[in-house]
Every structure is written in structure tokens, then in C-alpha cells.
Amino acid sequence: MTKKDETNEKLKGTFYLSMTLGVFIVIVWGICFGIFMGRF
Amino acid sequence: MHLHKYEKYWLTFGVGSLIVFLLITGIMAFHNGSHPPSAKKTINYEKVDELAPFNNPGVHRVSGKDWDYEVVVIASAFAYIKPVLEVPVGAKVKFIATTKDVVHGFEIAKTNINMMLEPGYVSEFVTTVNKKGDYLIVCNEYCGVGHAQMHSMLKVVDKK
């Protein structure tokens, strides 16, 4: 395993967690926006 | 400057989300005309009962305006005038409200209507009431000992 591969492996968990959190925030925002649009 | 590929993905996602949010906000504000309730008009709070339109509170059908009905409401400790408001479903309504004494709230539960009523200012909000039902109007600004009892009702009913 090269040094570059090692670095990628170390950062993979952080990357997945960050993306999961980001997607969660976007989904929650979308749900709130849907509620706002559904009301008068 | 070296950026790791994961960092590039994350930055692209973050900046992309920001652009999408700003675009939606811009479209809502400039195209759909969605703005916070305005309080640009002023009024002498000591003479609210004598000044139009507050000398005749309630629901009024209007013509020649961008909206079909005007709902005029006066808040004071600890009630709204009038206690029940009835508008037909599908009507475009302008809510016009003010207070005679302290700061009150005018929130119609389960809707996007939520205005702060300040002494000396007239709060306005225009919307189309497109769902039938009884909607509770509550004061959401603490205004004194009777705050919890301060409420009114908006009835959205079938067209007559």
C-alpha cells in the first residue's frame, strides 16, 4: 500500500461521515421547506 | 495549495448546496413575492379606534385591489377584535393588524402567518387561504398576566 492509499484510507471515514451529515441537513431542510410551501 | 480529492468533493457539495439555497431564496423573494410581514405604516396608537381601517374591524370584501378581502384586527390586552373571523376558501386576503397598548403577536397556527404587532405600527400580510378549516389565532409575544388566554379564530369556509 502506497503512502497515498494509506492517506485515502484514513480519510475515508471522515469523508463518509461528513457527507452523511451534509445529506441529512439537506433532507431536513427540504422537509421544512415542503411544510412551508404546503401552508398558506 | 494542495487539496485532497475528498476535500474537493465536500467543498463542491457545500458550495453547491449554498448556491441552491440562495437560488431558492431569491426565487421565493423576487418571483413569488414571499416576504416577511411588513410594518412600514405608522398609526397613533392612542387613537386606533377612531382611525381607518381600525374604526371598522372585521372581514371586508374589497374590489379594485390585488386582494379580495381585508381582515382588520385590533389587539389589546388580552383579546383580539373580532374574536371570530370568517373568510371563504380560495380568497386572497390581506391581514391588517395593530395594537392599542403593548407588543402582541398575531400567529395563525398551522399557517405561515405570524406577525409582531407593535404600538404605533400597522402590520400587514397578504396570502391566499386555500385550505378549509378552523385556525386558532394566538398571541406569541408575552403581553401580561392574560397572555395565555389571548386568542381568536379564523374560519376558512366554503364559498357562499
Side-chain angles (χ1 to χ4, degrees):
Chain A
M1 191 179 267
T2 64
K3 195 179 174 188
K4 196 178 173 185
D5 290 336
E6 261 179 59
T7 311
N8 281 349
E9 205 56 41
K10 278 181 191 166
L11 290 173
K12 204 174 261 181
T14 308
F15 175 68
Y16 286 153
L17 184 67
S18 304
M19 288 304 278
T20 306
L21 185 62
V23 169
F24 175 74
I25 290 169
V26 169
I27 289 170
V28 170
W29 188 91
I31 292 168
C32 294
F33 187 65
I35 292 170
F36 172 74
M37 291 303 287
R39 292 174 164 190
F40 64 78
Chain B
M1 185 177 70
H2 171 72
L3 285 177
H4 190 274
K5 68 173 180 180
Y6 290 160
E7 217 168 1
K8 283 180 190 164
Y9 296 155
W10 172 245
L11 281 171
T12 307
F13 178 77
V15 173
S17 303
L18 186 63
I19 290 169
V20 170
F21 290 151
L22 287 173
L23 278 174
I24 291 172
T25 308
I27 291 166
M28 290 295 295
F30 298 109
H31 183 263
N32 295 3
S34 178
H35 301 288
S38 72
K40 291 175 189 166
K41 291 181 187 165
T42 55
I43 189 169
N44 182 346
Y45 67 91
E46 291 178 325
K47 293 182 177 174
V48 165
D49 293 324
E50 301 161 31
L51 300 169
F54 299 102
N55 54 0
N56 186 19
V59 181
H60 309 291
R61 186 164 173 77
V62 294
S63 55
K65 296 184 178 179
D66 287 343
W67 44 89
D68 312 310
Y69 287 85
E70 286 182 349
V71 174
V72 180
V73 177
I74 303 171
S76 61
F78 299 98
Y80 294 101
I81 307 169
K82 307 244 177 127
V84 178
L85 304 160
E86 199 173 289
V87 288
V89 67
K92 194 170 184 181
V93 179
K94 183 177 192 177
F95 292 88
I96 308 167
T98 192
T99 167
K100 290 201 287 188
D101 40 47
V102 297
V103 172
H104 293 284
F106 183 85
E107 179 185 354
I108 306 183
K110 295 182 180 175
T111 75
N112 291 329
I113 303 162
N114 186 2
M115 304 192 288
M116 182 190 271
L117 311 179
E118 299 161 278
Y121 290 89
V122 178
S123 299
E124 297 178 337
F125 191 84
V126 179
T127 190
T128 302
V129 290
N130 54 15
K131 279 185 189 165
K132 269 197 318 179
D134 291 351
Y135 297 90
L136 186 66
I137 302 173
V138 291
C139 177
N140 59 8
E141 298 284 343
Y142 184 72
C143 54
V145 289
H147 169 69
Q149 279 76 47
M150 188 169 170
H151 61 87
S152 177
M153 186 68 80
L154 174 73
K155 289 176 182 283
V156 181
V157 296
D158 279 323
K159 289 175 189 171
K160 287 168 188 169

